[in-house]
Amino acid sequence: MSSNDHIIECRGVTFAYGSNLVVKNATFSVCRGDFLGIIGPNGGGKTTLLRLILGVLKPLNGSIILLGGPPVKTRIRAGYIPQETNLNKGFPISVHDVVLMGLTRSRGLGHLFSKEDKKKTDSILEQFDLLSFKNEGISNLSGGQRQKVLLARALVSRPEILFLDEPTSSVDAAGADEIYDYLKKVNAEGTTVVLVTHNMGIISRYIKSVACVNKDLFFHPDGKLDEQTLSRTFGCEIDLIAHGVPHRVFHSHEGKPQ
């Protein structure tokens, strides 16, 4: 596979907050159309890794290519839903306008939205079964509905790659399944998805490749995990849950971080 097929390329990426080393010599590539799950313990560097890939943070060492160029130039073609959003639930703004704001990334602030922009917004709200809520205030929605609005906002500009940091942390099980099912659909339509998650149960159902992060990074392009990697990453034995059935590992691992 040529490098032209890679939508993300990280080579020897290291980052620290002061003297606290967070990401150590991370090297991996993500192919177009992949659905990457990033797992690891709290404080292990998952969110930091996302911010490095997006160019929000600059690595101490190593290099990162996103969408064929430096992240600070190419991230405009990506969608991102952080763990902590800047959405003020009490602010008097409609669902329609929240999603419409997703088009400012490529147009710039002060841009007057066209009829076509509003049609795109209505179309994606319909895909999320939210069109009937378009004039509702965002504060009137449930947690799951608000998260779907944020997802719609990230996707309305049709990004080539979508980054999500724990998108279902404040959503009930039914709402989480709905969001994951939609991400699977988006991925099947060609959008690359990179997802930070603590939900080990989604790995076998949705994810194609896995990065286990706890300073060191172990990359599994086939999505299969092994006991040695999980023990190194989490510091203890971990059960995977697939289709409701706990089980251990899939194959052996050479024990070298990538």
Side-chain angles (χ1 to χ4, degrees):
M1 183 174 291
S2 71
S3 60
N4 291 333
D5 297 315
H6 294 150
I7 200 164
I8 300 171
E9 294 182 70
C10 292
R11 296 286 177 265
V13 173
T14 296
F15 181 82
Y17 293 104
S19 61
N20 180 26
L21 182 65
V22 181
V23 177
K24 177 183 176 184
N25 196 32
T27 298
F28 68 103
S29 299
V30 176
C31 297
R32 288 185 179 274
D34 203 351
F35 195 135
L36 171 66
I38 301 176
I39 64 173
N42 289 332
K46 303 184 299 299
T47 296
T48 297
L49 181 63
L50 280 196
R51 291 174 178 170
L52 285 163
I53 295 171
L54 285 163
V56 177
L57 298 174
K58 184 177 180 180
L60 297 177
N61 295 298
S63 64
I64 300 172
I65 299 295
L66 172 65
L67 293 161
V72 291
K73 294 184 178 180
T74 58
R75 65 190 179 199
I76 194 172
R77 293 153 53 197
Y80 176 43
I81 301 180
Q83 189 171 11
E84 296 295 334
T85 71
N86 58 4
L87 180 65
N88 183 344
K89 294 189 290 290
F91 189 75
I93 186 171
S94 71
V95 167
H96 184 271
D97 286 348
V98 169
V99 177
L100 195 61
M101 286 165 53
L103 293 170
T104 60
R105 187 174 66 251
S106 58
R107 314 287 174 81
L109 294 174
H111 170 81
L112 294 177
F113 294 109
S114 66
K115 290 183 179 179
E116 184 62 27
D117 292 334
K118 294 175 182 179
K119 285 181 180 179
K120 287 180 181 179
T121 299
D122 284 346
S123 176
I124 199 162
L125 284 172
E126 186 173 20
Q127 291 177 48
F128 279 93
D129 296 323
L130 290 169
L131 190 56
S132 61
F133 296 94
K134 63 177 290 185
N135 296 318
E136 286 282 347
I138 192 71
S139 60
N140 296 333
L141 271 58
S142 68
Q145 289 171 328
R146 282 195 297 270
Q147 198 64 20
K148 286 167 65 178
V149 170
L150 294 177
L151 188 52
R153 182 178 68 174
L155 290 171
V156 69
S157 62
R158 297 185 178 179
E160 296 176 52
I161 183 169
L162 178 63
F163 295 89
L164 307 101
D165 193 351
E166 296 283 1
T168 61
S169 58
S170 60
V171 180
D172 62 24
D177 285 344
E178 188 176 3
I179 288 171
Y180 289 131
D181 285 341
Y182 192 83
L183 290 175
K184 185 176 182 177
K185 177 185 175 184
V186 166
N187 179 242
E189 293 171 349
T191 302
T192 306
V193 178
V194 177
L195 170 72
V196 168
T197 182
H198 279 98
N199 186 349
M200 302 291 285
I202 74 167
I203 290 176
S204 65
R205 296 174 57 193
Y206 300 98
I207 288 172
K208 298 176 182 176
S209 63
V210 181
C212 302
V213 183
N214 189 4
K215 294 185 181 178
D216 289 318
L217 184 146
F218 297 88
F219 184 60
H220 295 261
D222 57 5
K224 296 180 179 179
L225 296 175
D226 62 273
E227 188 171 7
Q228 185 180 23
T229 299
L230 290 172
S231 295
R232 284 172 179 256
T233 302
F234 290 93
C236 60
E237 292 185 341
I238 297 290
D239 278 325
L240 301 181
I241 309 296
H243 307 297
V245 181
H247 64 287
R248 287 281 177 194
V249 297
F250 296 93
H251 63 81
S252 62
H253 188 278
E254 72 275 13
K256 297 179 180 179
Q258 297 182 40

